[in-house]
Amino acid sequence: MPEPKLTETESLQLIEQMIGRARQEEKASGWGWILWGWLLFIASVSHYVMIRMGTKGASRVWEFFGYAAILLILWSLVSWYFSRRKGKVKTYTNELVDKLGLAFFISLMVTSYGNNVTDLNPTGANFGYLLLLYAFWMYIHGAVYRFNLLRYGAFINWIGAMAIFYFGQRLGAEVLLVHALCVALGYLIPGHIAQNRLSNKPDRGGYERL
Amino acid sequence: MSDFKDLDPLLHSQLRLAVISLLVSVKEAEFTFLKEKTNATAGNLSVQIQKLKDANYIEITKQFKDNYPQTMCKITKTGIEAFEAYVRDLRQYLDVKK
């Protein structure tokens, strides 16, 4: 059977339609940062509660957080390794986001190490630097996936970081609450919304112009 | 004399243009992905991607995944250039029609 003849307008429409369909593959579920966000949130709030209750060695919460984070990273690497060949399609966006995630975690580890060895942790400023890193990741991720909630989350984290640097040690233990709030607004809420959208509309991806 | 170039006949076909438009947007895609997105039959799609491969517009890699054959398609540099030229020529036609 001869192929139907395309007009120029139909050709252009077809190109747009196919590029649109390919873009539907640029999606992420949000599960990764839901876990990451909950870990950070629980560690911050637990640390704050323990300080207020006068528990000795409250900061050890972050040691446990560190172990959990290492397990999460290992699990991410293993699941990435096994899923990389399963997908029907590889997009430049998803590949870029994987690399961004790796760069983020390396930067985070180095920052955490730096905060430790420079004795920055007791000042609370360490949380400001961490919020800057989260914001950077959120903004790029939000821009790549056209997910505005993440971009708003980034601005909230930048504001949180500014507040921590501005108020400095006057914030005291409340710096942990600022950190927890920024994590909730930047990771948890967008992550849960993305997850919810993905389970309701699996063909559309987790984030799209929210 | 007209300055218009003829549209690339290899791309000026519904299914082949659909395949190239999909592949230009992704790094590589499985045959089943192309079939799903274009709603084409496997037979027709095979014929059309073979034509694109013969023109060096796409690369086809056959491999095994979980004991099943898997055909991966990827646009080549020649394919990208041909697609860009096609879109350029298309715009030229459409501008004149306005």
Side-chain angles (χ1 to χ4, degrees):
Chain A
M1 200 176 84
E3 287 184 68
K5 186 99 177 144
L6 277 175
T7 67
E8 290 81 10
T9 314
E10 283 169 345
S11 291
L12 207 60
Q13 282 169 348
L14 180 66
I15 292 169
E16 284 172 1
Q17 192 187 19
M18 289 301 135
I19 289 175
R21 284 186 191 178
R23 292 197 80 169
Q24 287 172 357
E25 298 306 308
E26 295 170 355
K27 60 188 177 191
S29 66
W31 66 265
W33 59 42
I34 288 178
L35 274 176
W36 172 247
W38 276 115
L39 277 177
L40 283 171
F41 184 80
I42 291 168
S44 295
V45 173
S46 316
H47 190 185
Y48 179 75
V49 171
M50 286 164 86
I51 287 173
R52 287 288 165 243
M53 285 171 65
T55 313
K56 278 187 179 174
S59 60
R60 288 204 66 201
V61 163
W62 294 101
E63 269 180 48
F64 294 108
F65 166 80
Y67 299 138
I70 289 168
L71 285 178
L72 178 65
I73 294 165
L74 288 177
W75 182 48
S76 303
L77 286 174
V78 170
S79 60
W80 169 80
Y81 182 79
F82 285 106
S83 67
R84 77 199 159 107
R85 298 180 66 179
K86 279 189 181 167
K88 284 182 178 178
V89 61
K90 282 184 193 167
T91 68
Y92 293 106
T93 304
N94 291 349
E95 196 177 71
L96 170 78
V97 168
D98 283 346
K99 286 177 182 165
L100 176 70
L102 182 67
F104 169 75
F105 275 107
I106 293 171
S107 302
L108 191 74
M109 291 300 126
V110 175
T111 308
S112 301
Y113 170 75
N115 286 343
N116 256 317
V117 296
T118 56
D119 280 334
L120 206 61
N121 288 348
T123 67
N126 56 326
F127 287 106
Y129 291 115
L130 292 177
L131 290 183
L132 285 183
L133 265 183
Y134 307 156
F136 190 82
W137 181 86
M138 284 170 200
Y139 193 82
I140 307 271
H141 221 105
V144 164
Y145 285 118
R146 302 173 300 284
F147 187 51
N148 285 336
L149 271 185
L150 265 181
R151 278 190 270 195
Y152 304 148
F155 281 104
I156 290 167
N157 277 254
W158 276 318
I159 293 168
M162 281 288 287
I164 289 173
F165 295 138
Y166 180 77
F167 291 109
Q169 297 200 28
R170 280 175 287 165
L171 265 178
E174 273 64 36
V175 74
L176 290 160
L177 292 185
V178 175
H179 183 249
L181 181 72
C182 290
V183 164
L185 296 174
Y187 282 119
L188 294 178
I189 295 175
H192 279 292
I193 291 174
Q195 188 76 301
N196 194 35
R197 281 174 60 100
L198 192 68
S199 31
N200 291 336
K201 292 175 180 170
D203 57 322
R204 287 190 63 196
Y207 337 116
E208 199 180 327
R209 291 194 178 87
L210 264 175
Chain B
M1 200 177 88
S2 167
D3 286 337
F4 297 129
K5 289 178 184 171
D6 286 332
L7 289 169
D8 183 342
L10 203 64
L11 292 184
H12 198 57
S13 126
Q14 195 161 359
L15 188 50
R16 289 192 297 269
L17 183 59
V19 169
I20 283 287
S21 304
L22 284 167
L23 290 178
V24 86
S25 320
V26 300
K27 194 175 177 191
E28 57 179 344
E30 216 179 285
F31 179 85
T32 50
F33 170 83
L34 298 175
K35 183 172 168 286
E36 197 179 287
K37 296 291 177 187
T38 56
N39 295 321
T41 61
N44 192 13
L45 184 59
S46 289
V47 172
Q48 302 310 327
I49 65 170
Q50 190 56 48
K51 285 184 185 173
L52 291 170
K53 183 182 179 271
D54 292 343
N56 195 29
Y57 284 5
I58 65 169
E59 279 170 17
I60 300 175
T61 318
K62 290 182 190 282
Q63 56 194 39
F64 277 88
K65 185 182 83 175
D66 300 332
N67 295 325
Y68 288 97
Q70 182 192 39
T71 306
M72 296 299 291
C73 304
K74 187 178 181 179
I75 194 164
T76 60
K77 195 167 174 271
T78 314
I80 293 172
E81 284 165 2
F83 179 78
E84 285 171 350
Y86 179 83
V87 173
R88 217 169 26 242
D89 295 342
L90 205 58
R91 281 200 183 130
Q92 214 175 355
Y93 275 103
L94 289 168
D95 284 344
V96 167
K97 279 189 178 179
K98 275 182 189 172

